[in-house]
Amino acid sequence: MLEQNVVNISQVTQRVSDSESHKQFLALQSTFMSQVTKTYEWRIEQLSQLQKMTEDNKALIEQALFADLGKCKTEAWLTEAGFLISDIKDTKKRLKKWMKPQKRPMPMLAQPGASYVKAEPLGTVLIIGAWNYPFQLTLAPLVAAIAAGNCAIVKPSELAPAISSLIAELLPKYLDQSAFAVVEGAKDETTELLTFPFDKIFYTGGEQVGKIVMAAAAKHLTPVTLELGGKSPCVIDGKTNLEVAARRIVWGKMMNLGQTCVAPDYVLIEKEYQDKFIDILVKTYKEQYGECHKDNKDIGRIINRRHAERLASYIEGQEVVFGGEVDLDNRFVQPTIIKNPSLDSIIMNEEIFGPLLPVLALDNKHQLIDFVRQRPKPLAAYVFTEDKAFEQAFVDQVSSGSLCINDTSIFMASHDLPFGGVGTSGMGAYHGKAGFDTFSHSKAVMHRSYKLDASIRYAPFSKFKLSILKLIN
Ligand code: NAD
């Protein structure tokens, strides 16, 4: 039995070491060892090249996003290409400051000397991308990895094939090929990548695969950042400005046809305001998207038939007050408002990840907060209110990756807010400095001078030495 295992393991090692992606991994590791990735100049050059790649190929990126998700040009710019360019520009502007060693005070016992924290790159990292923002969610982590001085293998999502092959074609043309590689593929290719001893794995996607990634990483004690999802609630105080609230909720929900990790998943409001708010919501959808028919060019598509079928099943048996049309052949699901779905229905227990918006009602505002608190910690939580005490109660009591008051996904535009989940919505964060930190190790460095070498810390010990040590502690 033992012999059998030995044979199997050596077969796996043989297979892994022969594969193209393993050879790429080893090549990247040796590039990292060469120290080339550590200079400020090299990092800036790679970031500029990534920016140039995005700018030069804007039209191709738009076409691929349209093929994969039916994304309109405005969304393609705002949430993918433009988002990435803005991220790169901000990173380039601030990189020198981030790389600068941070001075720290010296303890009395270690005087004279100096100490500081130096951010050092982790090494060779793996970035596993998601399909919903297939360009930006694959390359924004790469911006952070480059800024921190790492080599990286990038694995785009196979569910967005047009963007996956575009990234595979473009990246090697613009970036240092000895430091970056793209591996395309699905479960098998990712499973193989996960056997390599990366120095960091950055994964964006669902909870189930997140657990697989974390278990594989544990074998090499590789640190992970998991950018996951979940149900992001939207709590509304009925006395707030319902027109503006509706506009901002429809904006967040309609972006990428609801296939956004921070999209408002469902709305919670006090009973007495529910019907009024639903009327305003319907009016808002119509103002922005007419009757929300599939020929509206601003409305995208669901990624594939399987997901369109999943969403269709969520609608069955529900009280639909707006929308409800599904065209599986065209991967189209109409923006749909559902009133009071039962709490044990699938739509209230799974992340919706599509244009269906349940609106639930409870008796009072504090029940709204309790409802959110009793469920898994969301990636984003939203509250619309002008009541300062209620706002503060929400901020203090609701634990979520991010929290936005009086708006929805707009907080993602900030380069100064860390973005990441908590609990089942993920671990770790990126965007701006948080991304640099995620791909760096904060190395503590202490330099001691030879000038003074007080004997009090050395044996033989005495009561006198101890009393001095206590004094300076
Ligand atoms: P997924 O988890 O199925 O896939 C993501 C990646 O994992 C892909 O690259 C895929 O090839 C790989 N993969 C799939 N099966 C695998 C396996 N068995 N072993 C190893 N790798 C595997 O993605 P999904 O669930 O369709 O994505 C949607 C989820 O992602 C939602 O929950 C959403 O909220 C979340 N999400 C989170 C963020 C964020 O930034 N926090 C962004 C986008 C999406």
Side-chain angles (χ1 to χ4, degrees):
M1 190 62 190
L2 188 63
E3 243 171 44
Q4 183 66 43
N5 278 345
V6 170
V7 171
N8 285 344
I9 289 167
S10 73
Q11 278 169 348
V12 170
T13 316
Q14 182 69 30
R15 189 178 62 77
V16 163
S17 59
D18 284 348
S19 76
E20 192 53 36
S21 56
H22 193 249
K23 283 183 202 148
Q24 286 172 312
F25 171 73
L26 294 176
L28 264 49
Q29 271 191 323
S30 79
T31 301
F32 184 74
M33 292 301 283
S34 79
Q35 308 292 309
V36 65
T37 68
K38 291 192 175 170
T39 68
Y40 170 76
E41 290 73 22
W42 183 88
R43 301 183 200 191
I44 289 290
E45 168 68 11
Q46 298 308 309
L47 290 168
S48 300
Q49 283 295 107
L50 192 57
Q51 180 177 344
K52 185 165 164 31
M53 179 191 103
T54 311
E55 286 164 351
D56 289 354
N57 298 282
K58 223 176 92 220
L60 290 176
I61 296 163
E62 273 172 9
Q63 282 164 24
L65 288 169
F66 187 78
D68 285 334
L69 286 146
K71 266 189 207 194
C72 65
K73 286 187 179 177
T74 305
E75 282 197 20
W77 174 254
L78 196 65
T79 64
E80 302 255 20
F83 186 100
L84 192 78
I85 290 170
S86 162
D87 187 20
I88 296 172
K89 283 181 177 168
D90 180 73
T91 301
K92 285 190 339 193
K93 206 162 65 197
R94 299 201 277 173
L95 184 59
K96 198 165 251 168
K97 188 168 164 214
W98 296 345
M99 286 177 69
K100 212 169 148 204
Q102 306 292 310
K103 274 193 187 160
R104 292 288 188 270
M106 286 287 286
M108 182 82 95
L109 191 62
Q111 301 272 12
S115 54
Y116 56 92
V117 175
K118 181 180 167 57
E120 65 175 16
L122 293 172
T124 300
V125 305
L126 172 63
I127 295 167
I128 304 175
W131 53 261
N132 57 333
Y133 291 87
F135 187 75
Q136 183 256 112
L137 285 178
T138 310
L139 298 182
L142 183 63
V143 171
I146 295 173
N150 296 276
C151 292
I153 288 189
V154 171
K155 212 297 286 173
S157 173
E158 74 283 7
L159 296 188
I163 283 290
S164 176
S165 62
L166 189 64
I167 290 177
E169 184 198 325
L170 295 180
L171 221 61
K173 286 188 189 158
Y174 285 82
L175 297 196
D176 180 346
Q177 286 191 44
S178 72
F180 305 103
V182 181
V183 173
E184 285 196 277
K187 184 180 164 194
D188 290 350
E189 291 77 4
T190 316
T191 304
E192 182 184 2
L193 286 172
L194 288 172
T195 63
F196 307 161
F198 282 99
D199 297 296
K200 170 95 192 186
I201 299 176
F202 188 105
Y203 165 79
T204 304
E207 204 180 310
Q208 289 317 314
V209 179
K211 288 177 187 168
I212 295 171
V213 168
M214 197 165 167
K219 296 214 170 86
H220 300 291
L221 289 179
T222 296
V224 290
T225 293
L226 301 179
E227 291 283 340
L228 310 179
K231 293 181 86 61
S232 296
C234 203
V235 162
I236 300 183
D237 166 358
K239 292 197 187 74
T240 199
N241 185 331
L242 294 180
E243 276 79 16
V244 176
R247 225 176 286 146
R248 293 176 181 180
I249 290 168
V250 168
W251 181 79
K253 189 72 175 177
M254 285 300 287
M255 189 85 72
N256 202 25
L257 203 52
Q259 301 164 106
T260 304
C261 53
V262 293
D265 190 274
Y266 61 91
V267 169
L268 281 177
I269 191 165
E270 298 145 279
K271 270 190 188 124
E272 56 179 308
Y273 299 102
Q274 187 186 29
D275 287 332
K276 180 179 172 197
F277 186 62
I278 287 177
D279 289 345
I280 295 172
L281 263 182
V282 172
K283 195 169 117 269
T284 308
Y285 271 108
K286 288 183 178 173
E287 274 166 12
Q288 292 187 21
Y289 296 94
E291 291 300 322
C292 296
H293 287 145
K294 63 173 174 250
D295 51 9
N296 185 320
K297 300 244 178 315
D298 292 338
I299 300 183
R301 290 292 178 266
I302 300 301
I303 186 75
N304 56 30
R305 190 182 176 98
R306 180 172 63 83
H307 277 283
E309 283 170 353
R310 174 182 66 80
L311 291 163
S313 78
Y314 290 5
I315 303 175
E316 271 166 36
Q318 302 292 356
E319 185 182 345
V320 171
V321 292
F322 177 71
E325 187 194 318
V326 176
D327 176 350
L328 293 179
D329 291 337
N330 281 300
R331 298 185 282 133
F332 175 75
V333 175
Q334 193 178 24
T336 299
I337 301 172
I338 292 169
K339 190 174 173 186
N340 296 334
S342 109
L343 293 188
D344 51 22
S345 61
I346 187 156
I347 196 171
M348 285 311 298
N349 289 281
E350 297 288 333
E351 180 181 355
I352 297 172
F353 225 55
L356 317 178
L357 185 61
V359 180
L360 291 92
L362 294 172
D363 288 332
N364 61 58
K365 286 202 288 197
H366 294 284
Q367 284 181 358
L368 306 181
I369 293 186
D370 286 344
F371 187 97
V372 175
R373 286 176 49 203
Q374 283 155 9
R375 286 164 174 74
K377 294 176 181 178
L379 185 58
Y382 304 113
V383 61
F384 287 81
T385 186
E386 286 157 276
D387 173 346
K388 280 283 160 207
F390 184 61
E391 172 185 326
Q392 200 55 51
F394 195 88
V395 172
D396 290 344
Q397 294 177 31
V398 170
S399 178
S400 57
S402 304
L403 194 157
C404 186
I405 301 141
N406 297 335
D407 211 325
T408 56
S409 321
I410 195 90
F411 73 89
M412 296 281 282
S414 169
H415 298 300
D416 295 288
L417 288 173
F419 173 60
V422 56
T424 54
S425 56
M427 60 183 70
Y430 70 131
H431 287 186
K433 175 72 161 51
F436 177 84
D437 291 342
T438 281
F439 284 102
S440 301
H441 163 61
S442 296
K443 183 164 72 182
V445 182
M446 184 182 276
H447 174 93
R448 289 278 284 116
S449 161
Y450 281 118
K451 279 198 181 126
L452 253 179
D453 199 23
S455 65
I456 52 160
R457 69 174 165 135
Y458 299 124
F461 300 125
S462 67
K463 272 189 182 167
F464 173 72
K465 283 183 175 180
L466 183 59
S467 65
I468 301 287
L469 284 172
K470 283 181 177 171
L471 214 61
I472 63 173
N473 194 17

